[in-house]
């Protein structure tokens, strides 16, 4: 499949805990982007990490990229109920075309 | 980041009819795309909307079913033609090549239900 794989498919945690989501892919990439989707609405862009970067931070979010393992992870620290959403990784392959390939997504539920 | 609006936000349509979805961006962008998200699934790229020329469709999607227009650098439409219940999905437009070249920004989506 061209899609990246994400795991876990679903994650249920308590407020204050950390949430880690993983994304794997098969072909070389230009960059990898993480998105959040609330209740089937539009996607909110979270972080873009380029192939020559290993880690990026944005507020409570930390993204890592290991190109040798063709994998990325998204860590949400000190989670809140408002973080409940689906999270998708999307890779931009090294084809020269701006066509994102989306992963299967992780559904995160943060309980108060 | 680019601000993207879509119309309509949702619709319920009868089998055999067509629906045109509009996507408007608040700034000129190089690339515009249309995606489909079937219930409980991830996003699949339908086509790249090219300004002033025919859209470029992905495997499994054809122009007769999903005609696309892009008359300028800030506007595009996607039509879902001769609809069937299998077309019930969220349709999203996205843009790239504007502010923040590599980042793709998404519209709020159009939730389509076909009866």
């Amino acid at each position: 499949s061209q899609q990246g794989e994400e795991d876990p498919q679903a994650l249920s945690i308590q407020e204050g805990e950390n949430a880690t989501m993983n994304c794997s892919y098969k072909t070389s990439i230009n960059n990898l982007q993480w998105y959040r989707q609330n209740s089937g609405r539009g996607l909110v862009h979270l972080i873009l990490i380029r192939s020559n970067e290993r880690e990026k931070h944005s507020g409570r979010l930390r993204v890592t990229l290991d190109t040798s393992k063709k994998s990325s992870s998204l860590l949400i620290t000190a989670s809140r109920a408002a973080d409940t959403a689906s999270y998708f990784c999307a890779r931009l392959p090294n084809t020269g075309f701006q066509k994102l390939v989306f992963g299967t997504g992780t559904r995160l539920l943060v309980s108060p | 980041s680019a601000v993207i609006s879509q119309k309509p936000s949702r619709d319920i349509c009868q089998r055999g009819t067509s629906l045109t979805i509009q996507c408007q961006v608040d700034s000129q962008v190089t690339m515009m795309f249309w995606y489909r998200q079937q219930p409980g699934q991830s996003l699949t790229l339908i086509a790249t909307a090219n300004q002033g020329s025919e859209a470029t469709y992905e495997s499994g999607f054809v122009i007769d079913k999903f005609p696309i227009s892009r008359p300028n650098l800030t506007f595009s439409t996607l039509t879902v033609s001769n609809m069937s219940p299998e077309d019930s999905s969220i349709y999203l437009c996205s843009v790239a090549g504007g502010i923040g070249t590599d980042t793709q920004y998404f519209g709020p989506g159009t939730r389509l239900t076909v009866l």
Side-chain angles (χ1 to χ4, degrees), chain A residues 18-38:
Chain A
N18 296 340
T20 299
M21 289 157 266
N22 303 295
C23 171
S24 62
Y25 55 92
K26 296 183 179 178
T27 60
S28 64
I29 62 171
N30 178 290
N31 65 59
L32 190 144
Q33 306 182 37
W34 284 90
Y35 292 86
R36 183 184 75 229
Q37 185 179 39
N38 293 84

Side-chain angles (χ1 to χ4, degrees), chain B:
Chain B
S1 65
V3 177
I4 306 166
S5 61
Q6 282 186 235
K7 291 181 182 179
S9 59
R10 59 176 60 221
D11 208 342
I12 300 173
C13 301
Q14 295 298 318
R15 180 195 299 261
T17 62
S18 297
L19 176 71
T20 295
I21 303 168
Q22 298 179 3
C23 178
Q24 179 75 54
V25 191
D26 68 341
S27 58
Q28 292 187 344
V29 292
T30 306
M31 312 288 289
M32 294 183 79
F33 306 91
W34 287 97
Y35 288 82
R36 181 177 73 182
Q37 185 179 28
Q38 295 176 301
Q41 303 295 313
S42 185
L43 280 76
T44 301
L45 180 64
I46 297 172
T48 302
N50 301 309
Q51 193 234 339
S53 64
E54 193 170 286
T56 305
Y57 290 84
E58 298 301 304
S59 176
F61 298 96
V62 296
I63 187 171
D64 290 347
K65 177 67 176 177
F66 298 101
I68 289 171
S69 78
R70 189 179 173 191
N72 56 51
L73 292 175
T74 63
F75 185 79
S76 177
T77 66
L78 167 74
T79 299
V80 186
S81 303
N82 188 24
M83 290 184 284
S84 67
E86 292 71 35
D87 294 319
S88 297
S89 296
I90 299 172
Y91 292 87
L92 301 107
C93 72
S94 75
V95 304
I99 301 171
T101 305
D102 289 343
T103 301
Q104 277 197 30
Y105 296 100
F106 282 78
T110 295
R111 184 182 291 271
L112 172 62
T113 301
V114 184
L115 303 177

